[in-house]
Amino acid sequence: NIALEMALSIADLHGFQDGMVVHDDIQLRQWLRASDGRLVLGDFNRARIMRWNDVDNVYCKFRTGTAFGDVSFM
């Protein structure tokens, strides 16, 4: 159930009505348990809404900087 909730939260981002959202920092610690018991994805400081190329009908490429996170807990 936990894995399904996590996958569904990512699917919600990719199916966002105004453009696919790239979270760009998926880690186990990004999910939080809400007061109603739902598992929710947080920490959107690196998130980007992908731009759409109307001429070629594809998402535009984008670059993101490197991040210096704490990987010691993984």
Side-chain angles (χ1 to χ4, degrees):
N1 286 340
I2 291 173
L4 179 58
E5 285 184 82
M6 293 170 80
L8 289 173
S9 64
I10 296 171
D12 285 343
L13 294 179
H14 291 183
F16 183 60
Q17 175 179 329
D18 293 328
M20 183 187 309
V21 177
V22 176
H23 187 278
D24 202 31
D25 193 19
I26 295 292
Q27 304 177 50
L28 290 176
R29 68 172 104 186
Q30 304 296 8
W31 278 271
L32 308 167
R33 185 68 65 187
S35 60
D36 64 0
R38 292 177 305 120
L39 198 60
V40 294
L41 181 58
D43 192 1
F44 286 86
N45 64 315
R46 292 181 57 90
R48 302 287 181 268
I49 297 176
M50 303 237 354
R51 295 176 186 223
W52 182 256
N53 180 330
D54 287 326
V55 174
D56 296 328
N57 289 322
V58 296
Y59 284 105
C60 300
K61 294 181 180 182
F62 74 99
R63 288 185 168 216
T64 183
T66 58
F68 301 98
D70 177 14
V71 295
S72 62
F73 97 103
M74 298 179 97

